[in-house]
Amino acid sequence: MTKEDYLELYKQMVIIRLIEEKCEELYQKSKIGGFMHLYIGQEAISARKPQDNVITAYRDHGIAIACGMDPKPLMAEMLGKVTGCCKGKGGSMHLADINLRFWGGHAIVGAHLALATGLAWADKQKGSDGVTLCFFGDGASNIGYFHESLNLAAVWKLPVLFICENNHYGMWTPVEDASAVTDIRKKALGYDIPSDVCDGMDLLAVRKASEKAIAHIRSGKGPFFLEVMTYRYRGHSMGDQRPYRTADEIKEWQTKDPIGKFEPVMMKKGITKEQIESIHAESAKVVEEAVRFAEESPFPPMEELYTDIYVENQ
Amino acid sequence: MSKALAQAMYEEMERDPNIVVLGEEVGAQGGTYGVTAGLFEKFGKDRVRDTPISEGVIVGAAVGAAMNGLRPVAEIMGINFAFLAMDQIVNHAAKIHSMFGGQFKCPLVVRTTSGGGKQLAATHSQTPDVIFAHFPGLKVVAPSTPAEAKALLKASIRSDDPVFFIEHSTMYSERGEVSDDPNFLLPIGKSDIKRKGKDVTIVTYSKMVSVSLKAAAELEKEGIEVEIIDLRSLRPLDLDPVFESFKKTNRAVIVEEGWKTFGIGSEVATRIYEECFDYLDAPIERVAQKEVPLPYSAELERAAIPQVKDVIAAVKKVL
């Protein structure tokens, strides 16, 4: 990877972090409603090509940015504005952009694993070499969909990369209290799907593991399972202040912060402290502009209530 | 009727290479009820795919594939198993277009078979069609003749919206002429007058159309002229012909195979009361399944499912 790649990926992580902090603030001011799940600590980056699909669960802000979504329509969606990526009809848990092949945040746990098999099947049927990157949490590995989807992907040799973001908690329940195996990748063994594990706090490690996995899939060998060990600094969703984790545990993970940890790596590559600082300043500006755009945008007009229910006129 | 449905898929698959069929035993075996017979031989295993017994991922994969450019026709062997795919049908297929602001389309057909009368006992004999009609975003179609089954399935396959297509399990061997014209379609969301009459309006659909027609033939002998309206789709629900008929007859009976409580009769009767109150000459009657899980034993099963005599009795009650 070049110096420019490093700068770009670092900037992406910083923007995600700042967006999440801003969302937290706007939620506390009641400008954002509904359920909201923050990505802070999990700023993992994918190594995909434009023809590849991405689909994820409801903790989707970071992945939307990693897919290339402009922070403006993202922030506008958060505020329920008509300029949002889904015209204000999806909200925090349902960001999407068809032009980026980002097929959505989905909020029924595990259900989007089934959708991922279909996205990949359609690619395969059309002769595309696209790979479908399907992100989900450790909690999703206990639901029937997980097993039905891994099985179908293996039987049909579908080009799906199952990426389990193991952040050690399904809502408030630790993995070991909910899953018979704590190494989630062991479940892939039952479907004869090859797997790997990587440090989700280390951008280059995630990058390397996902590149390897994607190359495996693109060579026509069927699905792959990647377990990314990570941690969310914030609660499951906003308002989660339950005492299921210790302050020490959170602090310990924060010493491995993916952004902080990457800075010395960048310096070794010859990137200066000034360059890093200017990325922070630029990113802050991008987020500030996105918030202004969202605040100034109109809410959807009442006619929007009845649009897009069906494609065909009723 | 199974041949008519197979023809519909065959013709559509010839027309559009993006149409694919998936489900349990739909491939070389031709489907549990023979509805996909011949498709595997003609279109091959990539377009006619056998699946594991995994209803959730059958519909889920079909939704994902529909979002990404295919036009899948998924077979769920029985409507009772559709409950295992309920989340994909109502939380995904029905909402993908609207929840993401119109970006994604879901041109998907989920075909399934509904209804009792085959001694399959409580979990395999239900007629819960109305449940699926509750959700905006989904279309629900249920034909009553082979010709209409073909034309409506073709329209469903060509629809850019998700369609839940309900075939009655005792009607696959029904015989009837079908159109040879590969472009003959029937619009989804249009009711049809199956019989003209001036005395009582019967509103019904699917298998109960033929039961109602038999009742009408009996009643005719007594000089009672029944008008029969076949809804053909439960969502969108086209009630204009019902209102028009009711304004003429001032009496209505609603016949459905499913349970009465919160049933199609509840909705249709309410809508008639709302729209045609001044035309009402008698309380509306509902003929529906007895409020029990269907028993296995043949006589008990028959007693629970609406029969010709039940329709006749209801018509006489409103007169």
Side-chain angles (χ1 to χ4, degrees):
Chain A
M1 279 206 293
T2 65
K3 213 187 263 187
E4 284 66 38
D5 291 334
Y6 273 43
L7 287 167
E8 194 193 317
L9 292 173
Y10 180 74
K11 188 174 177 185
Q12 212 173 64
M13 286 201 295
V14 172
I15 288 181
I16 293 171
R17 177 74 52 97
L18 293 177
I19 282 183
E20 294 298 60
E21 287 170 356
K22 185 54 84 175
C23 283
E24 193 171 29
E25 183 192 320
L26 293 170
Y27 193 92
Q28 280 153 358
K29 287 183 185 164
S30 299
K31 292 202 171 171
I32 297 174
F35 289 149
M36 187 172 81
H37 311 78
L38 298 178
Y39 205 58
I40 300 180
Q42 295 184 214
E43 288 91 346
I45 304 296
S46 65
R48 68 180 195 130
K49 289 190 174 175
Q51 71 267 38
D52 295 336
N53 304 304
V54 172
I55 188 163
T56 187
Y58 44 81
R59 199 177 304 284
D60 59 351
H61 309 173
I63 288 169
I65 293 292
C67 284
M69 186 182 284
D70 183 336
K72 286 178 182 169
L74 183 150
M75 204 49 94
E77 187 65 31
M78 305 299 300
L79 267 60
K81 300 298 182 77
V82 73
T83 52
C85 59
C86 299
K87 300 203 285 191
K89 291 190 178 174
S92 162
M93 302 191 286
H94 310 108
L95 305 175
D97 189 335
I98 193 169
N99 297 316
L100 298 168
R101 301 189 75 78
F102 172 45
W103 301 89
H106 295 267
I108 304 287
V109 172
H112 72 286
L113 276 78
L115 301 184
T117 64
L119 294 171
W121 174 35
D123 276 350
K124 192 175 168 161
Q125 196 74 14
K126 290 185 284 185
S128 155
D129 73 340
V131 170
T132 296
L133 280 63
C134 176
F135 294 82
F136 54 92
D138 44 273
S141 74
N142 301 316
I143 202 163
Y145 275 131
F146 173 92
H147 300 275
E148 291 191 26
S149 302
L150 262 66
N151 183 55
L152 188 79
V155 173
W156 287 7
K157 280 205 175 336
L158 297 174
V160 185
L161 174 53
F162 292 103
I163 304 168
C164 176
E165 297 180 279
N166 184 345
N167 63 18
H168 301 85
Y169 293 89
M171 279 189 75
W172 312 314
T173 303
V175 168
E176 57 270 26
D177 290 354
S179 179
V181 291
T182 50
D183 292 332
I184 307 297
R185 62 192 173 281
K186 283 188 185 162
K187 296 180 182 178
L189 275 175
Y191 305 100
D192 213 10
I193 295 177
S195 68
D196 197 0
V197 59
C198 68
D199 177 4
M201 311 306 273
D202 180 344
L203 186 144
L204 293 183
V206 176
R207 180 100 187 170
K208 201 173 146 196
S210 48
E211 268 174 1
K212 207 173 122 198
I214 291 171
H216 171 95
I217 298 166
R218 228 186 285 281
S219 71
K221 290 180 184 150
F224 195 93
F225 194 98
L226 181 60
E227 183 171 5
V228 180
M229 307 310 286
T230 185
Y231 197 78
R232 56 171 157 79
Y233 297 176
R234 299 296 194 270
H236 163 71
S237 59
M238 295 300 293
D240 166 12
Q241 286 161 356
R242 288 166 195 254
Y244 57 94
R245 310 188 293 185
T246 64
D248 284 349
E249 180 183 298
I250 299 172
K251 258 187 217 148
E252 196 198 317
W253 276 94
Q254 282 173 336
T255 61
K256 307 177 210 167
D257 185 75
I259 295 178
K261 204 169 159 179
F262 195 54
E263 285 164 9
V265 180
M266 292 167 78
M267 309 267 254
K268 259 190 216 157
K269 191 94 176 171
I271 294 166
T272 64
K273 213 166 177 252
E274 290 69 40
Q275 278 177 296
I276 292 176
E277 275 164 11
S278 79
I279 283 184
H280 279 265
E282 277 170 42
S283 305
K285 219 172 136 195
V286 167
V287 175
E288 204 178 293
E289 277 169 17
V291 173
R292 189 179 319 124
F293 171 82
E295 298 258 27
E296 287 170 0
S297 290
F299 285 105
M302 277 305 131
E303 304 89 83
E304 276 292 337
L305 186 58
Y306 294 105
T307 62
D308 301 325
I309 314 298
Y310 292 95
V311 177
E312 289 156 356
N313 290 334
Q314 291 301 292
Chain B
M1 191 173 83
S2 52
K3 273 191 188 155
L5 292 160
Q7 261 182 30
M9 284 184 277
Y10 190 98
E11 289 174 9
E12 291 304 299
M13 289 179 83
E14 264 195 321
R15 186 185 57 79
D16 182 349
N18 286 321
I19 298 168
V20 288
V21 168
L22 72 160
E24 294 155 14
E25 313 294 0
V26 298
Q29 305 305 320
T32 323
Y33 295 97
V35 177
T36 54
L39 300 181
F40 181 84
E41 291 74 9
K42 166 77 178 172
F43 301 105
K45 63 176 172 43
D46 287 342
R47 289 183 67 193
V48 185
R49 284 195 176 243
D50 280 325
T51 64
I53 304 170
S54 301
E55 282 79 10
V57 80
I58 291 172
V59 180
V63 172
M67 290 165 77
N68 195 13
L70 296 186
R71 303 183 76 89
V73 181
E75 177 174 306
I76 295 292
M77 204 183 280
I79 199 163
N80 310 286
F81 316 147
F83 292 130
L84 290 155
M86 199 68 178
D87 167 61
Q88 285 296 339
I89 296 165
V90 309
N91 282 334
H92 296 84
K95 296 181 174 60
I96 288 289
H97 184 60
S98 119
M99 192 168 68
F100 295 103
Q103 300 183 64
F104 304 131
K105 282 195 284 193
C106 189
L108 157 73
V109 181
V110 177
R111 286 183 40 248
T112 194
T113 173
S114 175
K118 295 173 74 175
Q119 280 198 273
L120 297 173
T123 64
H124 276 56
S125 304
Q126 299 173 93
T127 317
D129 309 353
V130 68
I131 292 173
F132 297 86
H134 191 58
F135 301 92
L138 195 65
K139 293 178 176 174
V140 179
V141 174
S144 65
T145 70
E148 293 182 8
K150 181 180 174 184
L152 283 166
L153 182 56
K154 286 169 75 83
S156 301
I157 293 171
R158 292 191 196 186
S159 168
D160 276 341
D161 293 308
V163 179
F164 192 73
F165 193 92
I166 304 171
E167 299 153 14
H168 197 284
S169 65
T170 63
M171 286 170 59
Y172 286 118
S173 54
E174 296 256 310
R175 304 175 70 84
E177 288 291 313
V178 304
S179 170
D180 288 335
D181 176 0
N183 285 315
F184 177 71
L185 309 179
L186 282 172
I188 296 170
K190 284 279 169 237
S191 301
D192 182 49
I193 300 170
K194 283 286 184 294
R195 188 186 197 280
K196 282 274 182 193
K198 60 176 176 38
D199 299 323
V200 176
T201 302
I202 289 182
V203 185
T204 187
Y205 76 102
S206 184
K207 166 83 175 289
M208 287 296 134
V209 171
S210 62
V211 171
S212 301
L213 282 166
K214 281 178 198 149
E218 292 296 315
L219 289 160
E220 193 181 9
K221 293 175 194 162
E222 299 177 36
I224 301 165
E225 289 297 336
V226 168
E227 182 144 301
I228 296 175
I229 296 172
D230 176 2
L231 294 170
R232 295 207 293 216
S233 74
L234 302 180
R235 186 181 274 272
L237 190 58
D238 173 28
L239 292 180
D240 287 345
V242 173
F243 302 148
E244 210 172 297
S245 172
F246 188 81
K247 285 175 184 172
K248 181 175 71 182
T249 63
N250 314 111
R251 293 172 163 83
V253 173
I254 300 144
V255 186
E256 66 190 301
E257 187 179 310
W259 293 297
K260 186 184 281 184
T261 306
F262 302 110
I264 287 149
S266 317
E267 176 65 23
V268 175
T270 306
R271 299 276 290 274
I272 295 173
Y273 287 131
E274 286 168 352
E275 297 288 327
C276 311
F277 189 74
D278 292 342
Y279 295 87
L280 197 68
D281 277 355
I284 295 165
E285 272 296 303
R286 291 180 285 159
V287 179
Q289 191 170 129
K290 304 290 186 295
E291 304 273 332
V292 295
L294 270 192
Y296 161 74
S297 194
E299 282 306 312
L300 287 179
E301 185 186 34
R302 209 177 350 264
I305 295 174
Q307 305 293 331
V308 173
K309 65 175 173 46
D310 303 314
V311 179
I312 292 172
V315 168
K316 288 186 172 170
K317 201 169 168 193
V318 298
L319 274 171

